[in-house]
């Protein structure tokens, strides 16, 4: 049996558990005496609670308590500005802290009852009187108040280079345009939920929906002043999160608060409408000024971004780093300003800043290419950059050209007729569009532990998460390959604060970060096995180094002499060891920092637009990805296809509609907040181009969580222009915009 596990299209190791219901999500941990908490949300966007009357709710039999800012216990720490691991600069929102209302649908009370039904009913009986103040939720109306934050929680916008204004003035061909996209909300299948289990000995077990248990631990211990040893956080399965679970949300706090006050286990699960009451992709308006010479050389680029944030935190994301990574140009300049509104702080959402920044950049570049009379793909090739101009660094690898070539061929780009409205299919206008994108291949510090027992079973653990991306599976593959074990002999454990530290699962860095630690810890076990084997008299491995040996099928042998293999079991029995154990941490190397490390993508899209009705069908997507080494082509393809589907949503459907009279997002359910359904999704073809990268990390893998989405929406926008001759600069492109 071959033990080459990396690169195999392996089925998910947790697949069976997931489809049989064996896999438990946060809200599914049933414990005896579980009480149910239901959140009451504010009806106004700004002001104060004058009076909160809980008597009617309390009169319902089976209601244990209605907790409000008036009757909650005091926790000294709560008065300080505690931070979670993902908090942007500012003062984090503290649920039930006082009577001030900072945003619409702010939690104002938690009703805890014997059953969910009772709690839900009693929650409708809580009466809140407000002293309302005028709120500001109108982004456009407040753009004049935009400011440069003291500190960006994302990359600080790159310093300008060259002389962009002068180069723009002199350019032969110019495009000066403004793009906008709306606020979007995360809609994972699993709603945010927490079960907090209080025990007599003062210990607290918390099952939370989170993209990294360490963050809930930090949030809970710092807000309630609890010692870390007393709190155990678990999150073995997450039903999608997309960034919504990077920060612990208010239901975590409220479940713990109620558990501590009532001294019993409490579950709080948010409803779908409540999923619209925290965190979202911030809307932005982006001004682009582009100048080129007649022959299509990009001479100047200026990008000015306005993005929303809350009044209490300065959230920002990487909207302005893309031009310097994707186009060679001697004159570039950027600004990124925030507009503070009476709403909850925005939150990372798949490819934060990339999805939006690349949408606007790639649309603007398409406009320029048309003005120049150039094929948009040829324009991109002509202005290709081999350097990250933001930081003046070479790329660790960049097979974007291969993406263009292989994608164009598969799509048939050559057959494209140049003029808009020149291709049709009966009553449908047909359009072809292209866009490219990038996403950073980060690595962070992480730890992993390995235990190998005499039965040849290996258990690896790290407190990372699997938000549906396939972490369980790829970590199992990496460990199995490193120690030459069959997959079924390897178990990977995650989502538990008793395991070695790992950072949040976000930013497409888990394979790189945790995978590197897993590989390293398995190599350590391999080394231990070798040393142990060498202690035996007449060992054929006597003078061997690690590089001289191979691990295959649970056995160790010299590379030069495969006949004399010795099994792990024998080695451990002869060495009188019950088990071998190692724990390591790994971190990015100094060498890596000398390079810009990014994954790249290209999307080719075909749309068919009904000429009379404006209905858009995304009939074909070919997307080519340069993501380094692909650990599992099957889960990788799923990632990219899911991202492409979301790209359709970004371009055509998703939009959180703020009613400025109420200061509330009004379409807070999946009936009115549209995401793509099967009928919206047609052919999606995913290509992974060959990309060798020995710098990015020990695995050569770049991470695929986010690269799949960034180029899809602009390719659709560009295809719609090619089909209709209409340039839509405000997303989403609903059909009324085409009529
Ligand atoms: Mo992702 S938006 O970094 O969870």
């Amino acid at each position: 049996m071959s033990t080459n596990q990396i690169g195999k299209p392996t089925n998910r190791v947790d697949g069976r558990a997931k489809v049989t219901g064996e896999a438990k999500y946060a809200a599914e941990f049933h414990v005896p005496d579980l009480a149910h908490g239901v959140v009451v949300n504010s009806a106004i966007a700004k002001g104060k609670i004058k009076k909160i009357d809980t008597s009617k709710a309390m009169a319902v039999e089976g209601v244990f308590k209605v907790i409000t800012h008036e009757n909650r216990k005091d926790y000294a720490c709560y008065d300080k500005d505690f931070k979670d691991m993902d908090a942007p600069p500012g003062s984090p929102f503290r649920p039930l802290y006082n009577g001030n209302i900072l945003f619409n649908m702010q939690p104002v009370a938690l009703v805890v009852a014997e059953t969910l039904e009772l709690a839900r009913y009693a929650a409708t009986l809580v009466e809140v009187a407000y002293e309302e103040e005028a709120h500001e939720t109108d982004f456009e109306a407040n753009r004049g108040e935009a400011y440069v934050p003291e500190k960006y929680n994302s990359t600080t916008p790159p310093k300008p280079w060259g002389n962009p204004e002068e180069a723009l003035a002199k350019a032969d061909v110019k495009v000066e345009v403004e793009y906008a996209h709306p606020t979007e909300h995360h809609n994972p299948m699993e709603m945010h939920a927490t079960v907090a289990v209080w025990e007599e000995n003062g210990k607290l077990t918390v099952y939370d929906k989170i993209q990294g248990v360490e963050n809930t631990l930090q949030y809970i211990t710092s807000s309630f002043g609890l010692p870390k040893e007393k709190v155990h956080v678990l999150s073995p399965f997450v039903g999608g999160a997309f960034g919504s679970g990077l920060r612990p949300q208010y239901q975590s706090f409220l479940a713990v608060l109620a558990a501590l006050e009532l001294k019993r286990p409490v579950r709080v699960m948010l409803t779908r409408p409540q999923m619209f009451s925290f965190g979202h992709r911030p809307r932005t308006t982006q001004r682009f000024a582009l100048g080129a010479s007649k022959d299509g050389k990009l001479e100047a680029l200026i990008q000015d971004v306005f993005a929303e944030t809350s009044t209490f935190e300065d959230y920002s994301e990487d909207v302005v780093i893309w031009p310097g990574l994707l186009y060679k140009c001697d004159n570039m300049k950027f600004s990124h300003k925030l507009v503070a509104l009476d709403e909850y702080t925005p939150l990372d959402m798949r490819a934060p800043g990339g999805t939006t920044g690349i949408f606007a950049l790639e649309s603007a570049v398409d406009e320029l290419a048309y003005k120049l009379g150039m094929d948009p793909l040829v324009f991109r090739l002509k202005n290709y950059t081999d350097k990250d101009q933001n930081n003046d660094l070479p790329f660790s690898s960049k097979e974007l050209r291969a993406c263009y070539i292989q994608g164009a061929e598969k799509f048939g780009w050559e057959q494209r007729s140049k003029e808009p409205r020149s291709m049709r299919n009966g009553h449908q206008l047909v359009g072809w569009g292209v866009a490219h994108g990038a996403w950073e291949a980060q690595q962070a510090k992480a730890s992993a532990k390995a235990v190998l027992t005499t039965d040849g079973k290996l258990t690896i653990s790290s407190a990372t998460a699997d938000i549906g991306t396939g972490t369980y599976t790829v970590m199992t593959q990496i460990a199995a390959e490193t120690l030459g074990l069959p997959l079924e002999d390897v178990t990977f454990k995650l989502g538990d604060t008793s395991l070695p530290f790992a950072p949040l699962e976000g930013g497409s860095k888990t394979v790189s970060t945790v995978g590197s630690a897993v590989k390293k810890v398995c190599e350590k076990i391999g080394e231990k096995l070798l040393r142990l084997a060498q202690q035996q008299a007449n060992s054929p491995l006597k003078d061997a180094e690690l590089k001289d040996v191979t691990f295959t099928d649970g056995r160790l042998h010299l590379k030069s002499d495969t006949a004399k293999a010795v099994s792990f079991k024998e080695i451990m029995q002869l060495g009188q060891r019950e088990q071998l154990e190692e724990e390591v941490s790994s971190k990015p190397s100094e060498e890596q920092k000398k390079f810009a490390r990014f994954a790249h993508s290209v999307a080719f899209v075909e749309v068919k637009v009904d000429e009379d009705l404006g209905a858009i069908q995304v009939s074909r997507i070919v997307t080519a990805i340069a993501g380094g080494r692909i650990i599992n082509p099957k889960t990788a393809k799923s990632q990219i296809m899911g991202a492409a589907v979301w790209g359709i949503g970004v371009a055509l459907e998703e939009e959180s509609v703020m009613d400025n009279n109420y200061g509330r997002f009004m379409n807070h359910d999946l009936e009115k907040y549209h995401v793509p359904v099967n009928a919206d999704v047609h052919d999606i073809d995913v290509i992974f181009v060959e990309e060798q990268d020995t710098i990015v990390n020990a695995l050569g893998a770049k991470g695929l969580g986010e690269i799949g989405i960034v180029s899809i929406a602009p390719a659709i926008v560009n295809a719609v222009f090619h089909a209709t001759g209409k340039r839509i600069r405000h997303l989403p492109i609903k059909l009324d915009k085409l009529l």
Side-chain angles (χ1 to χ4, degrees), residues 81-83 87-93 311-314:
D81 276 348
F82 62 85
K83 298 263 181 204
S91 170
F93 169 66
T311 54
F312 46 95
E313 286 172 313
D314 278 343

Side-chain angles (χ1 to χ4, degrees), residues 116 220 307 314:
L116 175 62
I220 296 301
D314 278 343

Side-chain angles (χ1 to χ4, degrees), residues 211 242-243 246 348-352 505-507 706:
Q211 289 175 241
F242 319 117
L246 286 170
D348 288 345
M349 181 155 153
R350 191 180 268 200
E505 172 158 65
E706 284 153 308

